[in-house]
Amino acid sequence: MTPEVPHRPGSPRTAEGRSAAVQAVRGGGVLRPPLADRANALHAGAWWLWALGLATAASRTTNPLLLALLVAVAGYVVAARRTDAPWARSYALFLKLGLLVIAVRLLFATFLGSPIPGTHTLFTLPEVPLPEWAQGVRLGGRVTAEQLTFAFYDGMKLATLLICVGAANALANPARLLKSLPAALYELGVAVVVAMTFAPHFVADVARLRRARRLRGRDDRGPRALVQVGLPVLEGALERSVALAAAMDARGYGRTARLPRAVRITTAALTLGGLLGICAGTYGLLAASGAGYGLPVLALGAAAAACGLWLGGRRAVRSRYRPDRFGPRAWLVAASGAAVGGLMIYANSYGPDALHPTAVPLTAPELPLWPAASCLLGLLPALVAPVPPRPREPRAPRTTEETAQ
């Protein structure tokens, strides 16, 4: 490990000291991650693989303690490795969206009832009589602790999935992810990236307008302020969309090579069939009853999709400037997410009771040791991923005495 050579302001910088400092900052040594720059930036696909691994682990459990641990792991990595880019500010929005999902799930269980039986009655709402054709639907009635507990577990599971996706959205550069997509999925990727970029810009516009209203002494809360802020935000989004469409058209986006009709049909059939096979095979692997056919269907779907993507790549006539490389640090980040998801799937085979606490009878959830330890593997990106550069703090204005000196 090359030692870092500190440089004091005002002192002469030697050639050895400058080269050692640059090498230490860019290389990062063996034990310390390097400072991120254009050359060693982590591949965007690694962040998505890491986040999907955490989401897979969240989909295999309803234990609120494990789900909270996964949210904490994702939040810590985001806080340690996110940049000051607009998309990095969207993580708070996904956190609020997760809380909203839990609240909506609890409200539905309260007012529409739940098939979960229970004996611990919390309160009783006036029940609305419904016609015979609405049998099975209930409005109001008895609300038990078992029903709310089951709804909370279910809502927290979905909220954790959304938060994991939000972590990937906050860490991965959408433009660099678009560069790494196969040529056959380029047009679809453009639409997805534009949609993913819209949310961070939307949040930034809302924050900027609310700050402007506060500086002018106006109220930035309430329905009236929301309406007055919404119109400029929509106007800005429309103008940004028109400018983006014009820029993409000027740069030649959407131009493709001419291929025979039979090739195009074969490409579409292989790609669509392969993706459906991957979905069916993945569902078979994750479902408890479909483990037998899951792996063959997944392999056939992956092979068909690969052939379709290879044929579809012949339509692209664009070049790729300085493609991102999937380096060792990207492999470590992706492997940590895959390890979390794989170990949680394995934990379901030998200890499903600890991963799915029962609401009937009502019992307090316990934190299983080994699944919790496997969740902590998701912290590996906070140790190996390059450190994003921090913004420089504004310098304090010089005093009169300093100016005179």
Side-chain angles (χ1 to χ4, degrees):
M1 175 179 177
T2 304
E4 184 177 358
V5 180
H7 173 70
R8 296 181 179 179
S11 62
R13 186 189 292 271
T14 61
E16 293 79 7
R18 182 170 58 252
S19 61
V22 171
Q23 184 179 358
V25 170
R26 291 184 176 178
V30 178
L31 301 179
R32 192 172 57 182
L35 189 64
D37 56 12
R38 179 61 182 82
N40 64 359
L42 201 70
H43 199 284
W47 286 123
W48 274 100
L49 291 176
W50 167 78
L52 291 178
L54 296 186
T56 302
S59 68
R60 304 302 296 173
T61 180
T62 55
N63 191 323
L65 299 179
L66 287 176
L67 294 173
L69 184 60
L70 288 172
V71 172
V73 168
Y76 181 80
V77 175
V78 169
R81 289 298 182 267
R82 72 174 174 180
T83 62
D84 294 329
W87 57 81
R89 305 169 191 167
S90 62
Y91 185 69
L93 177 64
F94 282 92
L95 285 177
K96 296 177 182 177
L97 185 61
L99 295 177
L100 179 63
V101 166
I102 296 176
V104 171
R105 186 67 180 87
L106 290 175
L107 287 177
F108 270 85
T110 302
F111 292 102
L112 299 182
S114 174
I116 302 299
T119 56
H120 298 77
T121 303
L122 297 178
F123 52 90
T124 303
L125 296 175
E127 186 168 359
V128 179
L130 296 176
E132 295 182 357
W133 56 267
Q135 292 292 332
V137 179
R138 181 170 63 87
L139 290 178
R142 190 167 62 96
V143 179
T144 64
E146 289 85 352
Q147 296 175 356
L148 294 184
T149 301
F150 180 80
F152 176 73
Y153 290 171
D154 201 22
M156 192 168 182
K157 178 180 176 180
L158 182 57
T160 307
L161 290 172
L162 289 174
I163 292 172
C164 291
V165 174
N169 197 18
L171 292 171
N173 187 338
R176 302 188 70 161
L177 180 64
L178 178 62
K179 289 176 57 179
S180 305
L181 285 177
L185 299 178
Y186 188 73
E187 296 175 357
L188 178 63
V190 170
V192 173
V193 168
V194 171
M196 289 169 52
T197 311
F198 175 78
H201 284 293
F202 179 79
V203 174
D205 288 346
V206 172
R208 178 172 52 82
L209 290 174
R210 291 183 62 186
R211 185 167 56 251
R213 290 181 63 86
R214 287 196 298 270
L215 292 175
R216 293 173 182 171
R218 299 178 181 177
D219 189 13
D220 61 335
R221 298 180 182 275
R224 184 178 179 183
L226 181 63
V227 172
Q228 294 179 352
V229 168
L231 185 60
V233 168
L234 292 178
E235 183 182 359
L238 180 61
E239 292 179 354
R240 191 179 300 113
S241 301
V242 173
L244 177 63
M248 293 174 67
D249 183 68
R251 287 167 173 79
Y253 279 84
R255 296 176 185 174
T256 58
R258 292 185 178 180
L259 293 177
R261 187 170 181 270
V263 176
R264 288 187 277 113
I265 294 176
T266 304
T267 302
L270 287 175
T271 305
L272 183 60
L275 294 178
L276 290 177
I278 291 175
C279 294
T282 305
Y283 177 79
L285 287 178
L286 296 179
S289 59
Y293 68 87
L295 188 59
V297 173
L298 178 62
L300 290 175
C307 294
L309 295 178
W310 178 74
L311 285 176
R314 298 171 60 186
R315 295 177 64 240
V317 294
R318 62 187 177 89
S319 60
R320 184 173 299 178
Y321 177 66
R322 293 164 64 177
D324 294 337
R325 301 185 182 280
F326 215 91
R329 296 182 185 276
W331 281 111
L332 286 175
V333 171
S336 66
V340 174
L343 290 176
M344 194 66 74
I345 293 175
Y346 176 68
N348 269 276
S349 61
Y350 67 84
D353 296 338
L355 271 63
H356 301 279
T358 59
V360 182
L362 195 61
T363 56
E366 298 180 356
L367 184 64
L369 178 60
W370 290 111
S374 65
C375 293
L376 296 180
L377 291 176
L379 293 173
L380 186 62
L383 302 177
V384 300
V387 181
R390 300 300 179 189
R392 295 181 178 178
E393 297 181 357
R395 300 182 58 182
R398 304 181 64 182
T399 59
T400 308
E401 292 75 7
E402 292 176 348
T403 306
Q405 293 176 0

